Amino acid sequence: MADDLKSSDTSDSSSDSFNPPPKTKPTKVSPRKAPHGKISKKRRNVISVCLTNCRYEVIRKISQKFGYKEVGDGENWNLYWTDLSITVERCKEMKRYQKINHFPGMLEICRKDLLARNLNRMLRLFPKDYNFFPRTWCLPADLGEALTYSRLRRNRTFILKPDAGSQGRGIFVTKTLKDIRPCDRGVCQVYINRPYLIDGYKFDLRVYTLITSCDPLRIYVYDEGLVRFATTRYKEPNSVNISNVFMHLTNYAVNKYSRTYNQDSEEGSKRKLSWLNSYLRRLGHDIDNIWKRIDDVIIKTIISASPVLKHSYAACFPNHDVIPACCELLGVDIILDKRLNPQILEVNHSPSFHTDTALDWEIKGSLLTDMFSMMNLDKCDKRKVMREDRKRIRERLLHGKDHQPSVSVNFEEFYKHEMNNRGGFRLVYPCSATKIHYNKFFDQGQGSLYSETAASRAREAAQNALRDEMQLKARLEAAKRVVTSPTPTKPPAPKKNETAHNVSHRTSKVSSPLAILRSSEPQMIVESEEKDRLQRLAQREYLLRSHGILEHVYFSMKKNGNLRPRDEKKFAIFDKIRSTSENNFNKQNGIFISDLVESIKAKSSI
């Protein structure tokens, strides 16, 4: 659900502490003998992987297990694995034998605001099929609609998220939308008040989804995944518990600081999907039907972005005919309501691959091993492709003609290899049972995608105009409340027994305050400066929320004894977060401001 170049779902945990199983030694190939008894040296096809922008140690260990060589960004790599979003320039520079772990245009469903826009567009086209996500508005464009909805349904709770955040930063639950300003950006969703609970705790599912091709679309879902629990028993949001993040949020990056966080793989705060299947099966639920609906939600979500994926891929890789240029491993977050209906929360294009527990290593190690097996990087002869490209360039320079044959892309062999080496992945699209059913969703209307984009921009422009009008009206109302100087009145006529000196003295007393009031009249407000000031204030407030500055200031003032009792009561949630895991918290956030002040005072006294 900024920042586009940041990882969408990473963890703050330390480096990986679990090692993979011992590496198997690669089998030695005996050299071939020539007819005259000489040994011919055949150069081995070395597969190289660039992990410059990869922070996860498990990916390096898996690539070493396959015998791949790690190289730098400027070398001729076969696979480029990055935790960041890719740019069009990066894609256009790729050679025909190279592969990257992201699709251009995948942010259409991996950013919270773009996911909401695409799902809302599909909901208008297919209202009976795209009802698997909470009602969502993109702010500030849809602020008017959100306020109208909240006035009509006063008993609803809302959850507000930054449009491109991760790890639960900047997310909060609220009962009213009156505090949202017209300049705030983000996503507003109707909070699911009645989720399905296990032992009284709220949870969500991290389902790993692999896309190996966008034209034609091929989607795999991994059998194993994570069930992530909140660490406080769930109660419907009210004025007391609405700020309790350990109750309402299931993000691992948030709940790992709770003192009740449990690392047990069977009864802890993070468990396997296979455990959930066994648990629901014991209760008599139809597991096959539940996963059929989950697969349906994932397929429809990806189809909503298929026009952008196809267009971006065709524009970036027109001659990529040796190996599929892209693959994408997504982390799809699903929550089950009280009737076990899946509701999609968000899609992460760079899910966390930290392996700080044995459970993480077991799931993510097997997941990445099966993915690397499906990519079939050994099939591509890098040197042969490079020789063909050099020959083609030489022919074009000498003869002025490009003798490049017409590109006929046919990756059927790669698709067969995927199916034979898919391991724990299962193909959910296309297959005989689903391909015909989903064909209608690809027909999203003539130009519906781009016309909806223009409509969204027009709606946002209208909303901005309304916001400016509201701000101008508020300033006018404020100007009316300003105390204006009274109109000067004539001094009263002197009395009979009053001298001229007394009259002049009384007149000076009346006129002097009038002169002071006239000198302090407010100046006219420049519209552009006021607009820029409001935008900077909104940006400052967002940064304060997302980086936890308020939390640092709170603990520093409390340590120095400068905190008021009402503020200590208002921000008591920070004490709960601090007390959960104080050691880990101090390691990641460093020393506090008060510690710095004390050290400076100590140095100055010396």
Side-chain angles (χ1 to χ4, degrees):
M1 76 192 80
D3 192 69
D4 294 342
L5 297 180
K6 295 195 306 181
S7 171
S8 66
D9 180 32
T10 55
S11 176
D12 295 335
S13 57
S14 58
S15 60
D16 305 337
S17 58
F18 284 87
N19 296 322
K23 295 184 289 186
T24 58
K25 297 182 179 180
T27 56
K28 297 182 179 180
V29 180
S30 58
R32 297 182 179 179
K33 293 185 178 181
H36 299 287
K38 297 181 180 180
I39 298 177
S40 62
K41 296 181 180 179
K42 185 178 180 180
R43 299 179 68 180
R44 189 167 61 92
N45 184 23
V46 179
I47 305 300
S48 54
V49 181
C50 179
L51 303 175
T52 304
N53 293 320
C54 176
R55 72 183 68 185
Y56 302 112
E57 190 64 26
V58 63
I59 297 177
R60 288 182 169 84
K61 292 177 181 178
I62 296 299
S63 63
Q64 293 172 4
K65 177 181 177 181
F66 279 82
Y68 298 158
K69 178 183 177 182
E70 184 175 350
V71 297
D73 194 356
E75 302 184 48
N76 292 324
W77 40 265
N78 292 82
L79 174 65
Y80 188 90
W81 189 286
T82 175
D83 303 331
L84 309 176
S85 303
I86 58 173
T87 60
V88 176
E89 290 75 15
R90 162 69 67 184
C91 296
K92 289 186 175 181
E93 292 174 356
M94 287 174 55
K95 299 176 176 61
R96 292 189 298 145
Y97 58 84
Q98 293 180 331
K99 192 182 188 75
I100 195 167
N101 70 318
H102 292 301
F103 280 91
M106 190 58 74
L107 288 179
E108 287 290 322
I109 58 174
C110 293
R111 276 181 58 106
K112 295 181 179 66
D113 54 346
L114 300 182
L115 174 65
R117 187 190 69 178
N118 283 292
L119 291 182
N120 283 326
R121 174 175 55 84
M122 297 297 288
L123 179 63
R124 286 189 288 270
L125 295 174
F126 309 99
K128 295 183 180 180
D129 299 292
Y130 275 81
N131 54 359
F132 51 80
F133 65 100
R135 185 148 189 181
T136 310
W137 301 274
C138 296
L139 305 179
D142 300 330
L143 179 59
E145 297 180 11
L147 292 175
T148 303
Y149 183 89
S150 65
R151 284 194 295 267
L152 295 176
R153 297 167 176 82
R154 298 182 180 275
N155 59 338
R156 293 297 177 92
T157 308
F158 303 92
I159 181 168
L160 282 83
K161 308 176 183 179
D163 49 8
S166 61
Q167 301 181 14
R169 289 192 295 261
I171 300 178
F172 62 95
V173 183
T174 180
K175 280 283 188 179
T176 177
L177 301 182
K178 294 180 180 179
D179 297 334
I180 300 179
R181 298 174 304 172
C183 55
D184 290 339
R185 298 188 62 88
V187 172
C188 176
Q189 276 186 336
V190 175
Y191 184 76
I192 301 176
N193 285 345
R194 297 180 180 179
Y196 187 84
L197 304 178
I198 295 181
D199 297 332
Y201 291 90
K202 182 181 178 181
F203 67 94
D204 72 347
L205 313 179
R206 167 58 59 87
V207 183
Y208 293 103
T209 303
L210 177 63
I211 303 176
T212 60
S213 173
C214 65
D215 190 15
L217 185 62
R218 293 182 66 84
I219 305 173
Y220 295 85
V221 172
Y222 201 62
D223 291 332
E224 197 60 272
L226 295 173
V227 183
R228 304 177 302 181
F229 284 82
T231 50
T232 301
R233 289 184 178 274
Y234 179 79
K235 294 181 180 179
E236 291 195 20
N238 52 45
S239 58
V240 177
N241 64 27
I242 198 167
S243 60
N244 190 346
V245 294
F246 300 139
M247 176 185 295
H248 300 295
L249 300 184
T250 55
N251 304 69
Y252 167 72
V254 174
N255 285 278
K256 68 178 181 179
Y257 294 117
S258 174
R259 62 181 179 181
T260 58
Y261 184 83
N262 188 357
Q263 293 189 357
D264 186 75
S265 59
E266 292 294 330
E267 298 180 356
S269 301
K270 188 190 292 186
R271 310 176 195 178
K272 296 181 183 180
L273 283 180
S274 57
W275 175 91
L276 178 66
N277 294 337
S278 301
Y279 175 83
L280 295 178
R281 190 176 288 109
R282 289 197 301 269
L283 296 179
H285 297 291
D286 188 355
I287 299 300
D288 295 335
N289 186 35
I290 294 175
W291 277 103
K292 184 179 179 180
R293 285 181 286 170
I294 293 176
D295 295 343
D296 178 72
V297 167
I298 294 174
I299 295 171
K300 290 178 180 177
T301 302
I302 297 174
I303 289 178
S304 67
S306 61
V308 176
L309 293 179
K310 290 181 180 179
H311 174 77
S312 302
Y313 187 90
C316 295
F317 309 104
N319 300 319
H320 220 90
D321 57 342
V322 179
I323 189 173
C326 304
C327 62
E328 184 101 20
L329 183 59
L330 302 173
V332 183
D333 292 343
I334 302 288
I335 189 171
L336 301 176
D337 62 13
K338 63 177 182 178
R339 298 179 180 177
L340 289 175
N341 293 319
Q343 301 280 319
I344 190 163
L345 297 179
E346 61 182 36
V347 181
N348 301 282
H349 83 291
S350 290
S352 172
F353 289 114
H354 282 296
T355 54
D356 9 342
T357 63
L359 176 66
D360 286 326
W361 168 254
E362 182 180 355
I363 295 175
K364 298 173 184 178
S366 302
L367 168 73
L368 292 169
T369 300
D370 293 342
M371 179 182 175
F372 272 70
S373 299
M374 295 173 66
M375 285 192 288
N376 195 17
L377 297 177
D378 298 322
K379 181 70 175 179
C380 178
D381 191 346
K382 178 168 55 178
R383 293 188 179 88
K384 180 181 178 181
V385 177
M386 293 173 65
R387 286 195 301 267
E388 291 177 356
D389 291 342
R390 284 195 296 266
K391 181 179 178 181
R392 188 177 302 163
I393 294 172
R394 187 166 53 251
E395 291 290 332
R396 185 167 60 249
L397 292 175
L398 293 177
H399 303 286
K401 295 181 180 180
D402 191 2
H403 296 282
Q404 178 181 355
S406 59
V407 178
S408 58
V409 179
N410 187 2
F411 295 135
E412 290 297 331
E413 294 184 4
F414 284 92
Y415 300 154
K416 292 179 181 178
H417 179 85
E418 290 174 2
M419 290 298 295
N420 295 331
N421 298 271
R422 64 184 184 275
F425 285 98
R426 67 179 188 277
L427 181 68
V428 296
Y429 185 88
C431 60
S432 57
T434 61
K435 187 173 182 180
I436 299 176
H437 173 70
Y438 293 102
N439 284 343
K440 62 179 180 179
F441 302 122
F442 288 95
D443 185 12
Q444 300 175 12
Q446 185 176 2
S448 65
L449 178 67
Y450 300 103
S451 64
E452 182 61 21
T453 303
S456 299
R457 292 175 180 173
R459 187 173 66 250
E460 186 169 0
Q463 183 65 32
N464 292 336
L466 178 62
R467 179 193 61 190
D468 296 340
E469 183 180 352
M470 292 170 59
Q471 292 176 354
L472 181 59
K473 188 180 295 184
R475 285 197 297 271
L476 292 176
E477 292 293 334
K480 292 180 180 178
R481 291 192 296 267
V482 175
V483 179
T484 57
S485 60
T487 56
T489 58
K490 294 181 179 181
K495 297 179 180 180
K496 293 182 179 180
N497 58 352
E498 201 171 25
T499 61
H501 175 72
N502 293 334
V503 172
S504 62
H505 180 69
R506 186 183 60 189
T507 308
S508 63
K509 286 183 178 180
V510 175
S511 60
S512 58
L514 293 177
I516 296 174
L517 288 173
R518 291 195 189 100
S519 65
S520 61
E521 289 181 355
Q523 299 179 356
M524 294 297 296
I525 298 176
V526 181
E527 183 71 21
S528 59
E529 294 179 356
E530 181 68 8
K531 186 176 181 180
D532 183 69
R533 185 181 71 85
L534 292 174
Q535 290 179 351
R536 292 181 182 275
L537 286 174
Q539 183 180 8
R540 184 185 68 174
E541 183 175 357
Y542 175 77
L543 291 175
L544 288 173
R545 289 182 180 180
S546 60
H547 292 284
I549 303 299
L550 184 62
E551 188 175 356
H552 286 278
V553 175
Y554 170 81
F555 286 121
S556 300
M557 294 181 66
K558 184 177 181 181
K559 189 172 184 179
N560 294 329
N562 299 327
L563 195 65
R564 296 177 298 184
R566 61 181 181 182
D567 290 334
E568 187 173 0
K569 184 178 179 181
K570 182 179 179 181
F571 301 101
I573 184 64
F574 292 151
D575 288 324
K576 296 180 181 179
I577 299 176
R578 176 80 180 276
S579 62
T580 54
S581 182
E582 188 172 359
N583 295 330
N584 293 336
F585 190 85
N586 292 334
K587 289 181 181 179
Q588 294 189 6
N589 293 275
I591 59 178
F592 290 94
I593 300 174
S594 57
D595 299 333
L596 293 175
V597 174
E598 291 177 2
S599 63
I600 293 173
K601 289 182 179 178
K603 291 181 180 178
S604 62
S605 62
I606 295 174

